[in-house]
Amino acid sequence: MKSMLFAAGLATVLLFSWGAQAQDRYVEPPPVLVSPDLSAPWVMQLRSSPVLAQQRTEQAVEYRTYQRARNARERNSARRDYRPRHQMPVSGTQPAKPPQRVAFIPRASEPFPLNERSWRMSDPKWLPQVVEYETDQSPGTIVVDTRQRFLFLVLKGGKAKRYGVGVGKEGFNWTGTEKISNKRKWPDWHPPAEMIEREKAKGRILPVKMEGGPANPLGARALYLGSTLYRIHGTNAPWTIGRAVSSGCIRMRNEDVVDLYNRIPVGTNVVVK
């Protein structure tokens, strides 16, 4: 009897203990308290600071810009350094020098060679442009103003297309009226005997004939003036435009003389004043 009562009492105690533990499972645990000194470092990392976010964005943009610039430099360097196998110098030999290039900037319409000097027009007034122009000359006439160093192609309506030119230096300037007697593309150059002797006295030897081409002083086109030795022609020295440096011929940029060549026929009147 006693053993049965003891067993019943033990079962009652265990039942109440189990019920208490089961109820504890569904009770919300108390909050964990952390000291402010310990929580500050990691709590600050979890916060979203607008200032820090802006700084990170700026740093990312700056880094991407740097990366693009560096990649572009590396690509350009690779292009410059690349040479096909058949162009690689043979061991013990010097690499061939690049061909000489003429001194003017080409237009897309005509692929002139480029110059290593990379010349640029210093004053835009020498570039071609349509201007107001009062004259008694008929449209289609060429007027060369040697004092202002402009060539005017007279147009209709009181206008003209103006080009910057180089003219004869002191002692070689002239005035008069002529007609275009001939037109040539990439003309040969035959220096006059007087020029050959004059340059020889300066220690410069001129050829009797120079084949037409980019290095030729007459440039891309030549418009011959009557039976004279004078011409309106291009030049491989465009930095002389606007100056008095020639032996009497009228110099134009190669781009400009090509444009003029295409606009006027043989027989056009030319007035030099």
Side-chain angles (χ1 to χ4, degrees), residues 168 172 174 177-182 184 187-196 198 208 217-218 221-234 246-251 272:
F172 292 88
W174 61 281
T177 301
E178 297 289 344
K179 289 184 180 292
I180 300 295
S181 56
N182 196 5
R184 295 257 179 101
D188 296 338
W189 181 42
H190 301 268
E194 299 84 357
M195 180 181 289
I196 293 177
R198 186 169 61 248
V208 176
L218 297 185
R221 302 289 187 271
L223 307 172
Y224 294 81
L225 301 178
S227 59
T228 70
L229 297 176
Y230 301 127
R231 295 160 292 246
I232 300 172
H233 63 79
S246 76
S247 297
C249 289
I250 308 302
R251 297 182 179 184
V272 179

Side-chain angles (χ1 to χ4, degrees), residues 66-79:
Y66 164 77
Q67 285 286 84
R68 286 195 294 268
R70 188 181 68 176
N71 293 339
R73 288 196 301 269
E74 291 176 352
R75 288 194 300 269
N76 293 336
S77 177
R79 292 191 187 103

Side-chain angles (χ1 to χ4, degrees), residues 12 82 88 98 100 104 117 134 156 170 199 235 242 252:
T12 302
Y82 171 76
M88 297 295 290
Q100 184 179 4
F104 51 84
R117 297 175 62 170
E134 295 183 3
K156 296 179 180 179
E170 186 176 356
E199 295 300 318
T235 180
M252 303 179 70

Side-chain angles (χ1 to χ4, degrees), residues 24-38:
D24 290 344
R25 292 182 183 180
Y26 303 100
V27 175
E28 183 177 355
V32 178
L33 299 178
V34 183
S35 170
D37 294 337
L38 298 178

Side-chain angles (χ1 to χ4, degrees), residues 50-230:
V51 176
L52 294 177
Q54 178 66 22
Q55 290 178 351
R56 286 195 294 268
T57 301
E58 292 175 354
Q59 291 173 357
V61 171
E62 182 178 358
Y63 179 73
R64 286 196 296 270
T65 303
Y66 164 77
Q67 285 286 84
R68 286 195 294 268
R70 188 181 68 176
N71 293 339
R73 288 196 301 269
E74 291 176 352
R75 288 194 300 269
N76 293 336
S77 177
R79 292 191 187 103
R80 287 194 300 268
D81 296 339
Y82 171 76
R83 282 188 294 176
R85 294 179 62 88
H86 68 277
Q87 294 182 3
M88 297 295 290
V90 181
S91 178
T93 62
Q94 295 293 330
K97 294 182 178 180
Q100 184 179 4
R101 296 172 178 174
V102 297
F104 51 84
I105 304 302
R107 292 173 58 182
S109 59
E110 185 152 351
F112 300 122
L114 292 173
N115 180 14
E116 294 173 350
R117 297 175 62 170
S118 189
W119 176 85
R120 292 293 185 274
M121 180 69 70
S122 58
D123 191 336
K125 74 177 182 180
W126 304 120
L127 297 174
Q129 51 194 291
V130 175
V131 297
E132 299 290 337
Y133 189 66
E134 295 183 3
T135 180
D136 55 357
Q137 301 295 335
S138 59
T141 302
I142 293 174
V143 180
V144 180
D145 190 327
T146 57
R147 287 176 296 180
Q148 296 188 54
R149 291 156 194 181
F150 288 124
L151 181 150
F152 297 89
L153 175 60
V154 181
L155 305 175
K156 296 179 180 179
K159 297 184 180 296
K161 185 159 187 182
R162 189 184 74 184
Y163 306 85
V165 296
V167 299
K169 55 191 173 183
E170 186 176 356
F172 292 88
N173 48 353
W174 61 281
T175 59
T177 301
E178 297 289 344
K179 289 184 180 292
I180 300 295
S181 56
N182 196 5
K183 297 167 56 178
R184 295 257 179 101
K185 295 182 178 181
W186 296 106
D188 296 338
W189 181 42
H190 301 268
E194 299 84 357
M195 180 181 289
I196 293 177
E197 291 298 324
R198 186 169 61 248
E199 295 300 318
K200 184 177 181 181
K202 299 177 183 177
R204 302 171 185 169
I205 306 300
L206 296 181
V208 176
K209 176 185 176 182
M210 186 173 186
E211 298 290 339
N216 192 301
L218 297 185
R221 302 289 187 271
L223 307 172
Y224 294 81
L225 301 178
S227 59
T228 70
L229 297 176
Y230 301 127

